[in-house]
Amino acid sequence: MAMYAPKTILFHTLICLLLTMASQSKASLNSNYYHQTCPQAEKIILQTVYNAFMHDPKIPARILRMFFHDCFIRGCDASLLLDSTPGNQAEKDGPPNISVRSFYVIDDAKAKLEMACPRTVSCADIIGIAARDVVTMSGGPYWNVLKGRKDGRVSRANETINLPAPTFNVSQLIQSFARRGLGVKELVALSGGHTLGFSHCSSFESRLRNFTSLHDVDPSMNNEFAQKLRKKCPKPNRDRTAGELLDSTSSTFDNDYYKQVVAGKGVFGSDQALFSDYRTRWIVESFAEDQSLFFKEFAASMVKLGNAGVIEDGEVRLNCRVVN
């Protein structure tokens, strides 16, 4: 029988302990993360989101956009929810996020969760679950949200420059999504989130007048559609609320967005570009023809985006607007 010196035994014990600690500290997401610690978490979030939706039909588009804009900066860490301070301008006050609305829905869900399960459910997970719920209640797919994210402590307005812009071409979009570990298929599938929502004129009016020295209007745009938008967005435009729905069934999560793009009626330049580029056109066409395929790929892409940049050293905020 082999004999080991006490120092050797101690060394091996320490190694095993460190390996165990390392495996426990590594960020690990799973769909049952709150099964023991807060089993009613998803029900509380769903009820909060549904109640808000009953009073404001814009809630689904706003919550889904909130998820995208949070995850594209620093990963899905709820940094978008942090308020600015005298010494720091936060993400929510960056130019692309000025129009992000309905933070109160997340605040309401967080307050209820703190009563039910104090210091347990992260703000980042609330956004992820709420985004899934608004898609489902709008007629879209359901998926199991992987949970266990922590909330970040850093939020900088100047980092919002890294959000994909509505003027991007396909090469720029591919590069932007690749930084989050997302491929071309995920890019086209997640763009389908534009099936919900509305855009103000400022995000697409550059396509309507003086587009280039050769074309007054973006030639990729359906001419009848372009004339309709020019009437809605006159020059000068004194109506700050003027704009256009992002597809013809903007309160229903469906594949109409892709049908609109195929018809030359994509509102953003970045939308229409997906049909103009050979790398993405075939995917747009397949989603326009097969809604169930779009739903399947959208759900898978939302899970993949939700895994981007998961942080290990964050916290569970008690108030989603401020760090602990």
Side-chain angles (χ1 to χ4, degrees):
M1 182 174 169
M3 299 293 290
Y4 294 96
K7 285 185 178 179
T8 305
I9 295 172
L10 179 61
F11 173 76
H12 283 290
T13 302
L14 285 171
I15 288 295
C16 290
L17 183 61
L18 287 171
L19 287 172
T20 302
M21 291 172 65
S23 67
Q24 289 176 341
S25 66
K26 183 173 174 58
S28 177
L29 304 183
N30 68 78
S31 58
N32 295 317
Y33 188 84
Y34 298 113
H35 186 67
Q36 297 294 331
T37 56
C38 193
Q40 65 270 53
E42 293 199 49
K43 183 178 179 181
I44 290 172
I45 295 167
L46 172 62
Q47 192 63 57
T48 304
V49 172
Y50 181 77
N51 288 342
F53 174 51
M54 287 294 96
H55 291 93
D56 183 357
K58 296 176 183 176
I59 290 297
R62 289 174 171 178
I63 297 295
L64 186 57
R65 186 166 179 240
M66 189 187 298
F67 175 78
F68 286 146
H69 281 226
D70 181 51
C71 293
F72 261 81
I73 307 296
R74 296 182 168 269
C76 309
D77 67 346
S79 51
L80 177 60
L81 302 183
L82 289 171
D83 286 339
S84 294
T85 64
N88 178 67
Q89 188 177 35
E91 283 174 39
K92 64 169 57 169
D93 292 321
N97 287 333
I98 295 297
S99 58
V100 177
R101 297 281 187 271
S102 302
F103 293 108
Y104 73 89
V105 179
I106 308 301
D107 291 336
D108 288 351
K110 180 60 176 174
K112 292 171 184 173
L113 287 164
E114 283 302 308
M115 291 181 65
C117 323
R119 303 171 180 268
T120 302
V121 182
S122 68
C123 301
D125 279 343
I126 296 173
I127 298 177
I129 294 167
R132 185 271 315 278
D133 290 345
V134 296
V135 168
T136 305
M137 66 178 62
S138 300
Y142 179 93
W143 62 93
N144 285 320
V145 176
L146 300 180
K147 297 169 282 288
R149 292 167 195 79
K150 294 294 185 277
D151 299 323
R153 301 183 181 91
V154 178
S155 182
R156 299 190 180 107
N158 60 4
E159 292 183 353
T160 58
I161 195 172
N162 295 313
L163 287 165
T167 55
F168 273 11
N169 60 38
V170 169
S171 293
Q172 291 170 310
L173 288 170
I174 289 174
Q175 187 178 36
S176 178
F177 276 70
R179 292 195 198 104
R180 283 86 191 169
L182 301 167
V184 176
K185 185 169 64 174
E186 286 88 21
L187 154 62
V188 181
L190 291 172
S191 294
H194 287 166
T195 184
L196 299 177
F198 170 90
S199 172
H200 291 103
C201 295
S202 58
S203 294
F204 59 84
E205 61 188 356
S206 62
R207 304 180 68 204
L208 305 178
R209 297 174 183 85
N210 303 314
F211 184 67
T212 66
S213 58
L214 294 176
H215 299 98
D216 188 35
V217 175
D218 183 347
S220 69
M221 182 181 283
N222 174 282
N223 187 59
E224 185 180 330
F225 186 60
Q227 297 311 313
K228 170 188 168 185
L229 295 185
R230 281 169 68 108
K231 290 179 181 177
K232 288 190 172 185
C233 304
K235 278 286 189 181
N237 185 5
R238 294 182 175 83
D239 182 3
R240 291 186 177 183
T241 64
E244 175 66 5
L245 299 172
L246 295 181
D247 84 2
S248 61
T249 58
S250 65
S251 61
T252 302
F253 196 96
D254 56 21
N255 68 336
D256 187 65
Y257 160 83
Y258 297 102
K259 295 176 181 178
Q260 296 287 101
V261 170
V262 169
K265 297 180 180 180
V267 175
F268 297 143
S270 58
D271 291 332
Q272 201 57 52
L274 296 175
F275 191 66
S276 303
D277 193 291
Y278 73 95
R279 291 169 291 182
T280 49
R281 180 175 183 141
W282 67 275
I283 309 176
V284 171
E285 290 175 329
S286 65
F287 289 164
E289 294 170 3
D290 188 343
Q291 180 168 282
S292 62
L293 175 64
F294 163 51
F295 280 12
K296 176 186 172 185
E297 296 297 344
F298 182 84
S301 299
M302 286 289 282
V303 172
K304 193 168 182 179
L305 175 58
N307 290 345
V310 176
I311 58 175
E312 301 178 15
D313 59 345
E315 62 188 15
V316 174
R317 280 184 225 142
L318 305 183
N319 178 341
C320 291
R321 293 175 178 265
V322 295
V323 296
N324 291 344

